[in-house]
Amino acid sequence: MEQSARPVLLVIADSLSYFGPKGGLPADHPQIWPNLVAAELDWDVELVGRIGWTCRDAYWALIGDPRIWAVVPRAGAVVFAVGGMDTLPSPLPTALRELIRYVRPPVLRRGVRATYNWLQPKLARLGRPVALPPKVSVDYLEQSREALAQLRPGLPVVAVLPSVHNCAAYGRVHSGRERAVKALREWSGRTSVPLVDLGEAVRDNIFSGDANPDGIHWGWAGHSAVANAMVKTLQEVR
C-alpha cells in the first residue's frame, strides 16, 4: 500500500490519550488529543497504547511492536504520553492486577477481581508504594530515548508530566506525583526532552463536572487543552 508523504505523529500512550468523558474511543476519534494535534500540524498519527500502561510498558512496546518499527522512519515526532499510571498508589502489586485476567475458573477470577477492587481504594489511602518508582520510570524513558536516537538521530521526542486525578479507585490520593515531576524535570534538564504538563492542562477539567465520572479520564475540554499545549511544544522542537 502507498504510504502518505506526510510526517507521522507517533504517540505511545496510556488510556488518557483515547478515553473521553464516557469511556474508551477508537484511535481515529477526531476529538482525542492526538488527532487534534495531527490535524493542526497536518500530519498523520499512529496511536499505540493500552489502559494502565506505564513508562515500562511504553519501552516494551517501542522495542517489541512492529507497528512502531514501521512508523519510526516516517515519524515527525514521538510523544511518550505515559507516566501518570506510574505515580498512582499501588499497595497491591501491579503484577497481581495484570494476572487477574488469567485466573481460572471464571468464578474464582470474579472473586479475585472483586476482592482486589474492594481492597485497592482502601489501601491506596496509604499513598505508597506507587505503581513504578520515579527512578525506574525515568530509566525506561531514557532507554526509549536512546533507542530512538540510535535509529533516527535528531528525531524530536516529547514526554509528559503526570496528569492529576479525582479517582475514588485510588482513594483520591496522588502523593506520588510530586516526586515524579521532580525526577522528570531533572531528566529533561539532562536530555533536553521537552515536557508537556498534563496536570496543568487538565486540572480544571478533572475537577469540573465535565470529565469522565471515573475521576481520572478527561472530558473534551481536557483533550483540547492538552492538544494546544502539545502543538505549542512540537512547533518549538521540530
Side-chain angles (χ1 to χ4, degrees), residues 63-206:
I63 65 172
D65 192 326
R67 290 178 300 165
I68 294 177
W69 305 346
V71 170
V72 167
R74 299 184 293 125
V78 177
V79 178
F80 289 103
V82 288
M85 184 70 190
D86 308 40
T87 69
L88 296 177
S90 185
L92 297 172
T94 302
L96 173 61
R97 184 190 71 241
E98 294 294 322
L99 289 173
I100 289 174
R101 74 185 71 184
Y102 300 110
V103 174
R104 298 178 62 189
V107 65
L108 178 59
R109 180 171 64 249
R110 289 192 290 270
V112 172
R113 180 174 288 114
T115 301
Y116 180 93
N117 290 338
W118 183 80
L119 285 172
Q120 168 62 29
K122 295 172 175 60
L123 295 178
R125 297 187 187 115
L126 298 172
R128 61 172 62 186
V130 293
L132 211 62
K135 181 179 180 181
V136 178
S137 298
V138 166
D139 182 61
Y140 277 111
L141 285 173
E142 177 59 12
Q143 290 184 66
S144 299
R145 187 195 68 81
E146 289 180 344
L148 287 171
Q150 292 292 322
L151 293 172
R152 286 276 312 277
L155 173 63
V157 174
V158 175
V160 300
L161 295 178
S163 182
V164 293
H165 76 83
N166 186 32
C167 183
Y170 292 98
R172 295 188 168 86
V173 172
H174 205 179
S175 54
R177 185 179 188 274
E178 186 176 344
R179 289 193 303 123
V181 167
K182 182 175 183 292
L184 286 162
R185 289 196 189 281
E186 291 174 352
W187 171 70
S188 174
R190 295 192 301 269
T191 62
S192 299
V193 172
L195 300 171
V196 172
D197 191 338
L198 300 184
E200 180 181 346
V202 306
R203 184 173 282 104
D204 289 346
N205 182 243
I206 280 290

Side-chain angles (χ1 to χ4, degrees), residues 33 37 196-198 201-202 218 221-231:
W33 74 258
V37 171
V196 172
D197 191 338
L198 300 184
V202 306
W218 318 324
H223 279 275
S224 294
V226 170
N228 290 338
M230 193 66 68
V231 167

